[in-house]
Amino acid sequence: MPDTQTPLWTAEAIASATGGQLHGPDATVSGLTYNSREIQPGDLFLALHGARDGHEFASAAFADGASVALVDRPVEGGPYVLVPDTLKGLEAMGVAARDRARLRGAVTGSVGKTSVTQAIKAGLDLAGAAHASIKSYNNHIGVPLTLARMPHGTDRAVFEIGMNHPGEIGPLSAFVRPHAACVTTVGPVHIEAFADGEAGVAREKAAIFQGLIPGGIAVVNAADVHADIVRQGALDAGAVLRTFGHDAGCDARLLTFTPDSEGATVTAELDGQRIEYRLAQSGVHWGLNSLCVILMLQALDVSLDTALQALAGFQPLAGRGQMKTVAVPGGAFTLIDESYNANPLSMKAGFVSLGAKPVGQGGRRVVVLTDMLELGDHSRALHEGLAPAIEAAGLDVVHTAGPQMRLLYDILPPSLRGQWRETAAELAAEAAALVQPGDVVMVKGSNGSRASLVAAALAKLTPEGDNPSSSAAPRATR
């Protein structure tokens, strides 16, 4: 169990970790945040510099119960630790807290890193005192913040690591110093930042292995098109290589994936031994994802039985495959909410999963898509390139929103074209017209293109035929 008797931090410990100066009395810290609106009594307020200077909110943070602030100039309202640079101070706290965990894992990838991280966390929770990234806290702030939030007495921890530009993943992995790290997949995500396209993305993802402790374990997706680049990155880092995929020779080999109404059954070979297990997930990509989770948990000293127990109970995260039956006039349809984010890889995986779903009497397989973002000059080709995957999956209707999805809409066969609207909000306002009883409907798109508006509107349809206005749907956040 985590050590609940020892404070997460004290002001003096923060000063010691950061090399800063404590102004005011010592105080205990039970949490950390840089958002003054999230302050809980006993928190450390991190006065970071962003769109707004965090120092402007220090007084309000103290008024709401902050016990200490980390600052780079004096503030009023309570004790503070003064450092030259608050972000560097947070990083130093993260490094100081790192060894509170006996074993650490790290996860990156173009698709699936948040869900895989949380599935690993589910296994770690069953095995002992565990800690993990929350939400998608995977950047230059989120990684050190997650480290600094780690309680004393943590046995195992797992950290999500992401990137927007070249050169980000290696330094973040160096903060974590993982005992095991994995790359879930590589694809055209943030591709506009890489002159050599997906190969550059693959090398950046493989940089996660640079932070491994000596003799650390690298878990690599052998089924990925860029597996050779990622594998070489692991070998260059001196890692012990473990692979998952479809082919003989993989340490974890997927044999069959059989989805059903309550999840899926997987058969696989693990180190040459045949295993069968259940998943609460039904998306076909979870066949390989589950093998990645198993290998990571093994590397973090978690038994296979515990890993399989965790996978059997791990439910889809919000906006990442959650399913719901929605009653409408004349019956009901099944909503699959994949609205949290999207890229070409996850889109195509979603189409395959949707194509495998059984439909009700007279039902259709319907997909509602909003723009994929951050694809740069490749955007037209990647949006239009979804059409063959849609047809191959046997989908029946494609509704779209956004200027980039118009490119896809225009090349689809007329028989597949549903509605197109300029914005997700406009499409959400017509939610009732998008579906009929017996349908299985998947909603997918990038956060910034607000696919969640459509998912929320569909979820709120009623048997009486009421169509909630799109203004009632929650706004997506990035």
Side-chain angles (χ1 to χ4, degrees):
M1 295 292 291
D3 182 352
T4 57
Q5 302 302 312
T6 304
L8 183 65
W9 290 94
T10 65
E12 289 183 349
I14 293 168
S16 176
T18 61
Q21 295 180 327
L22 173 59
H23 293 257
D26 193 16
T28 60
V29 167
S30 55
L32 292 79
T33 185
Y34 57 85
N35 187 341
S36 62
R37 293 170 295 183
E38 297 178 353
I39 287 289
Q40 298 295 316
D43 276 355
L44 168 70
F45 176 62
L46 302 159
L48 301 180
H49 295 271
R52 296 282 301 274
D53 182 353
H55 294 75
E56 298 174 12
F57 305 98
S59 295
F62 282 125
D64 287 337
S67 59
V68 188
L70 183 69
V71 298
D72 56 35
R73 66 171 187 265
V75 294
E76 296 181 353
Y80 59 87
V81 176
L82 184 65
V83 294
D85 182 306
T86 49
L87 179 57
K88 295 294 184 185
L90 173 60
E91 293 171 354
M93 290 179 65
V95 170
R98 181 171 62 202
D99 290 336
R100 294 177 182 177
R102 178 175 64 92
L103 294 170
R104 298 176 299 278
V107 179
T108 195
S110 299
V111 180
K113 57 183 174 292
T114 299
S115 292
V116 166
T117 298
Q118 297 306 319
I120 293 169
K121 171 61 159 49
L124 300 185
D125 281 336
L126 293 177
H131 180 68
S133 307
I134 61 169
K135 302 178 184 177
S136 292
Y137 278 27
N138 61 23
N139 65 2
H140 67 291
I141 296 173
V143 171
L145 180 62
T146 302
L147 280 163
R149 284 174 167 172
M150 187 156 56
H152 294 274
T154 298
D155 192 35
R156 301 172 180 88
V158 61
F159 300 85
E160 180 181 336
I161 296 179
M163 64 89 184
N164 290 307
H165 302 285
E168 291 183 282
I169 287 180
L172 294 177
S173 182
F175 283 137
V176 174
R177 294 293 284 160
H179 297 76
C182 66
V183 177
T184 59
T185 54
V186 174
V189 183
H190 305 300
I191 194 172
E192 76 281 4
F194 294 85
D196 53 352
E198 287 187 43
V201 175
R203 279 188 288 274
E204 177 66 17
K205 295 297 184 185
I208 195 171
F209 303 130
Q210 295 171 9
L212 284 168
I213 65 166
I217 294 173
V219 175
V220 173
N221 183 354
D224 192 273
V225 66
H226 298 291
D228 287 345
I229 294 175
V230 177
R231 183 183 290 110
Q232 190 59 52
L235 296 175
D236 289 346
V240 176
L241 186 64
R242 297 276 281 168
T243 59
F244 62 96
H246 300 286
D247 298 333
C250 290
D251 298 291
R253 181 187 184 191
L254 181 65
L255 299 177
T256 65
F257 182 91
T258 308
D260 54 52
S261 60
E262 297 180 351
T265 299
V266 179
T267 58
E269 286 182 355
L270 182 63
D271 296 319
Q273 291 195 322
R274 189 181 181 94
I275 60 173
E276 181 176 299
Y277 54 94
R278 287 288 300 170
L279 297 176
Q281 314 272 346
S282 61
V284 294
H285 52 288
W286 267 97
L288 290 179
N289 277 358
S290 66
L291 295 182
C292 181
V293 171
I294 289 169
L295 291 180
M296 283 293 291
L297 286 171
Q298 285 190 324
L300 297 174
D301 194 26
V302 176
S303 72
L304 177 60
D305 286 346
T306 300
L308 298 185
Q309 181 185 351
L311 286 168
F314 181 68
Q315 298 292 327
L317 303 176
R320 293 179 170 95
Q322 285 187 336
M323 296 178 62
K324 178 181 181 181
T325 300
V326 182
V328 291
F333 70 93
T334 299
L335 173 64
I336 305 172
D337 183 358
E338 286 272 6
S339 65
Y340 182 79
N341 218 338
N343 57 61
L345 276 182
S346 65
M347 283 283 193
K348 292 174 183 178
F351 301 155
V352 174
S353 294
L354 178 58
K357 299 288 186 188
V359 299
Q361 181 72 32
R364 310 162 299 171
R365 295 175 180 89
V366 180
V367 65
V368 185
L369 305 175
T370 65
D371 287 353
M372 300 181 291
L373 305 179
E374 299 179 333
L375 298 177
D377 294 339
H378 305 273
S379 187
R380 172 182 282 273
L382 292 173
H383 279 84
E384 292 180 343
L386 298 177
I390 289 171
E391 294 186 70
L395 307 189
D396 298 305
V397 182
V398 183
H399 300 300
T400 54
Q404 296 305 303
M405 279 300 168
R406 181 63 195 237
L407 302 173
L408 169 64
Y409 179 86
D410 286 343
I411 68 167
L412 285 173
S415 60
L416 289 180
R417 292 179 192 163
Q419 301 296 321
W420 174 83
R421 294 294 181 266
E422 185 69 31
T423 67
E426 293 174 58
L427 199 60
E430 303 176 32
L434 305 180
V435 297
Q436 63 188 38
D439 285 352
V440 179
V441 184
M442 183 181 77
V443 180
K444 194 161 183 65
S446 289
N447 281 336
S449 60
R450 304 181 74 187
S452 60
L453 292 178
V454 186
L458 287 168
K460 293 177 181 177
L461 293 177
T462 69
E464 289 73 34
D466 295 334
N467 180 16
S469 68
S470 59
S471 62
R475 289 179 176 267
T477 56
R478 288 189 63 81

